[in-house]
Amino acid sequence: MTEESENLNASDINGDPVGPGTVVRYINTGTVGKVTEIKTDEEGIWALMDSTGLYYKVETLVVTDASELKVKAETAKTASEAEEYMRRYGSAGPDQVDIGQVTGGG
């Protein structure tokens, strides 16, 4: 946590305080993460989210419950689970796909 993070009064879209350690959701995509840093520049106040490593303007965030972090973690797949899924449902090669009914637009 930087000194800058401690001195800023950042608020989410609802006016709730946002600071390092706050769990937030980005309203445009639903991405959930924990704020690790707050900074400011000529464009406004920004929060760094741990789940993406990206800065978001605090007005585009909403404070949420930490339980949403657990939901995201439980939906993550391992490489072997993803491979099994592709073998079961998505391994159709080009010779197995019928595109006879597909038409192009003009």
Side-chain angles (χ1 to χ4, degrees):
M1 180 172 12
T2 65
E3 185 176 321
E4 185 179 16
S5 293
E6 294 173 358
N7 295 330
L8 288 175
N9 292 324
S11 300
D12 72 355
I13 194 169
N14 297 322
D16 295 324
V18 175
T22 306
V23 178
V24 294
R25 182 178 346 102
Y26 179 52
I27 60 175
N28 292 329
T29 61
T31 302
V32 177
K34 197 176 284 190
V35 174
T36 57
E37 182 182 344
I38 300 288
K39 74 174 191 173
T40 186
D41 66 11
E42 61 278 350
E43 294 182 25
I45 301 175
W46 301 82
L48 177 63
M49 195 183 304
D50 68 346
S51 61
T52 61
L54 300 173
Y55 283 93
Y56 299 86
K57 290 192 83 168
V58 292
E59 308 84 54
T60 63
L61 301 174
V62 63
V63 173
T64 190
D65 189 71
S67 66
E68 289 195 39
L69 288 173
K70 293 178 186 175
V71 172
K72 294 289 182 184
E74 290 171 3
T75 60
K77 301 286 186 202
T78 65
S80 61
E81 289 172 329
E83 183 179 0
E84 176 61 30
Y85 179 87
M86 290 303 294
R87 287 181 194 277
R88 187 175 298 169
Y89 301 108
S91 61
D95 57 334
Q96 297 173 340
V97 177
D98 178 16
I99 59 169
Q101 299 299 317
V102 177
T103 60

